Amino acid sequence: MAALGKLVPEWGRSLLRPRGLRGEAAAVAAGRRGVRALRRSPVRVLPSVKEREAGAEPQRRPREPPPTPPPAVERSSAGPGLWYEKAAPGDRRLGKVVTIAKSKKFRDNHGKVLLEGHRLIQDALEAGAVLQTLFFSTVGHLKELPEAKLKGASLVKVKFEDIKTWSDLITPQGLIGIFSKPNYAKMSYPAAQLTSSLPLLLICDNIRDPGNLGTILRSAAGAGCEKVLLTKGCVDPWEPKVLRAGMGAHFRLPIIANLDWDSLPSNLPNGIQVCVADNKDPSAQVEAVSVPSGAGRAGSAPVKPKPQAAPECEDEEGAASVSIPELPTQYYYENWTQTPVGVVIGGETHGLSPDALHLAASTGGKRLVIPVVPGVDSLNSAIAASIVLFEGKRQLLRWQEQEDRRPKFPVVG
């Protein structure tokens, strides 16, 4: 073997070396060279077969442009010191705000209410309600509102089609406002309303229909009521349907809502007499009766009362019977007013609650009946309230006129 090794050329010895070691070393060296090459320059993208045949340069993947910032808000002037924002296409603020503001939970938690229409928004601004955001379709709407009340609010110009989409009105006016929930103690009511106010209060008991409550509030403002008290169980007075039916009554007299019967007397003046609009026949004489479901609806045809039931017991149908006090009963057009006086109107479904009757008894109040033709169902609660309130106004004005005519003698000390 030694002789054979001498005969083999030097270059042939390399062929007799183990191929495994040589291949491993070569692979390591090639890997290092590849890493250095990658560090120096990026990998070249080879053209496709079609591109090579066409002789075109390979197309490089374009880099993604950086995200564009949101466009600047376009603002315009509607007058000296009054600027508004133009809503961009696809702006969903109006829809979100309207949807949320219609929720009672949102109104209670965030203290915001939604008002729609020129007259309602103007009444709210003049009464001192705080405007937060106003959506409008034309600049002319801004010129019809008090400019000083708009400067602190966010004004957003939107398309009329957007307002029409979210409006509850059949013919929208192109004006929707988001206000802070008004506080009756901080409102500035119209001077004409204050000068025409009478010592007449209205208490709403379980009025759950929005249209009825709004109409009742409107009648109370028209009759010159001093204030309106709403017990728990009444619909929220700031519900959009109540606001529309009220026609601005919310901003003409104090409305105190969500009262329980324990705290309600603290909102009544001293010496007040509370009367209830009921359906009991004035000729019926019983000491106490059971209150069935739906009893006590104002303006109902007289019904024959049931025999007296023991307090806190159950009748034959299994319903709990409550003994209520006896109240003097008369027709609504007979004299029943004194100063001050309050009237309780019950809802059409549940009628007057026993608490309302106990309150009337504790103040020396009466039952007031609106006579109707036998067989006719009870009057709508809003209509009954209007009849009783305006009759109370007539009697109070007559009483005041008599007092003014009475001669006044000097007090001798």
Side-chain angles (χ1 to χ4, degrees):
M1 291 297 294
L4 181 61
K6 294 180 180 180
L7 296 175
V8 178
E10 187 67 23
W11 55 269
R13 294 179 181 178
S14 61
L15 298 176
L16 298 177
R17 293 173 184 172
R19 298 184 60 86
L21 295 176
R22 180 183 178 186
E24 182 180 355
V28 173
R32 290 176 178 176
R33 287 195 298 272
V35 171
R36 287 196 297 269
L38 288 175
R39 290 176 179 175
R40 293 191 187 100
S41 62
V43 178
R44 182 181 179 183
V45 180
L46 297 177
S48 63
V49 178
K50 294 182 179 180
E51 291 176 345
R52 288 199 300 268
E53 292 177 354
E57 291 293 330
Q59 296 181 359
R60 295 183 179 181
R61 181 180 298 177
R63 294 182 179 180
E64 295 182 0
T68 56
V73 176
E74 183 180 355
R75 298 176 63 86
S76 302
S77 174
L82 193 63
W83 292 82
Y84 64 88
E85 171 188 351
K86 291 183 179 180
D91 194 322
R92 300 181 179 179
R93 284 179 296 176
L94 175 60
K96 291 181 179 180
V97 168
V98 172
T99 302
I100 295 175
K102 290 181 180 180
S103 167
K104 182 179 184 302
K105 183 177 180 181
F106 175 85
R107 293 193 297 267
D108 294 339
N109 294 340
H110 297 273
K112 297 180 181 180
V113 297
L114 182 147
L115 305 180
E116 184 175 1
H118 174 267
R119 178 176 179 178
L120 194 58
I121 292 177
Q122 184 173 6
D123 289 345
L125 293 174
E126 292 177 352
V130 180
L131 176 64
Q132 295 186 355
T133 306
L134 181 67
F135 297 94
F136 62 96
S137 58
T138 61
V139 181
H141 290 312
L142 300 181
K143 297 180 180 180
E144 297 174 356
L145 298 174
E147 181 178 328
K149 303 287 186 178
L150 301 178
K151 291 185 177 180
S154 174
L155 309 179
V156 184
K157 187 177 184 295
V158 297
K159 295 182 178 180
F160 180 78
E161 289 75 12
D162 296 336
I163 292 182
K164 187 176 181 180
T165 301
W166 295 104
S167 174
D168 288 336
L169 302 179
I170 299 177
T171 55
Q173 300 180 18
L175 205 59
I176 296 178
I178 305 298
F179 286 77
S180 299
K181 194 172 183 179
N183 184 352
Y184 72 93
K186 299 180 180 179
M187 301 292 287
S188 300
Y189 299 106
Q193 187 75 30
L194 297 176
T195 55
S196 302
S197 179
L198 297 170
L200 177 63
L201 282 77
L202 175 64
I203 302 174
C204 295
D205 182 17
N206 287 322
I207 305 295
R208 301 184 180 183
D209 183 82
N212 282 345
L213 181 59
T215 305
I216 289 173
L217 296 177
R218 185 178 180 183
S219 297
C225 286
E226 183 178 327
K227 68 172 78 170
V228 177
L229 307 179
L230 307 180
T231 64
K232 290 183 178 180
C234 290
V235 65
D236 182 15
W238 300 106
E239 204 268 343
K241 291 183 180 179
V242 181
L243 287 164
R244 289 199 303 271
M247 294 294 292
H250 294 71
F251 308 105
R252 303 190 69 85
L253 78 167
I255 301 173
I256 308 175
N258 202 32
L259 295 173
D260 53 41
W261 289 100
D262 294 332
S263 60
L264 189 143
S266 62
N267 294 276
L268 300 176
N270 295 329
I272 188 172
Q273 181 186 65
V274 178
C275 299
V276 296
D278 203 356
N279 65 346
K280 183 181 177 183
D281 189 344
S283 61
Q285 297 292 334
V286 293
E287 295 181 358
V289 297
S290 174
V291 181
S293 176
R297 291 176 289 184
S300 300
V303 296
K304 185 178 180 180
K306 294 183 178 181
Q308 179 179 357
E312 304 300 334
C313 65
E314 293 186 352
D315 56 19
E316 298 177 356
E317 299 179 355
S321 298
V322 180
S323 179
I324 58 175
E326 173 66 11
L327 296 176
T329 307
Q330 66 179 55
Y331 290 115
Y332 79 98
Y333 50 77
E334 298 174 335
N335 186 33
W336 51 271
T337 58
Q338 67 174 35
T339 55
V341 64
V343 177
V344 182
I345 297 293
E348 296 182 34
T349 303
H350 297 85
L352 291 167
S353 63
D355 292 316
L357 301 174
H358 281 285
L359 176 64
S362 65
T363 60
K366 304 175 182 179
R367 294 175 180 265
L368 307 177
V369 176
I370 303 175
V372 295
V373 175
V376 177
D377 197 5
S378 61
L379 295 179
N380 177 278
S381 59
I383 296 177
S386 301
I387 293 174
V388 174
L389 289 177
F390 278 91
E391 173 60 22
K393 176 181 181 179
R394 185 189 68 83
Q395 294 185 17
L396 287 173
L397 291 177
R398 184 182 61 182
W399 179 83
Q400 289 182 355
E401 184 179 355
Q402 293 175 355
E403 289 293 321
D404 293 339
R405 292 180 178 178
R406 185 174 298 176
K408 297 179 176 57
F409 301 97
V411 179
V412 180

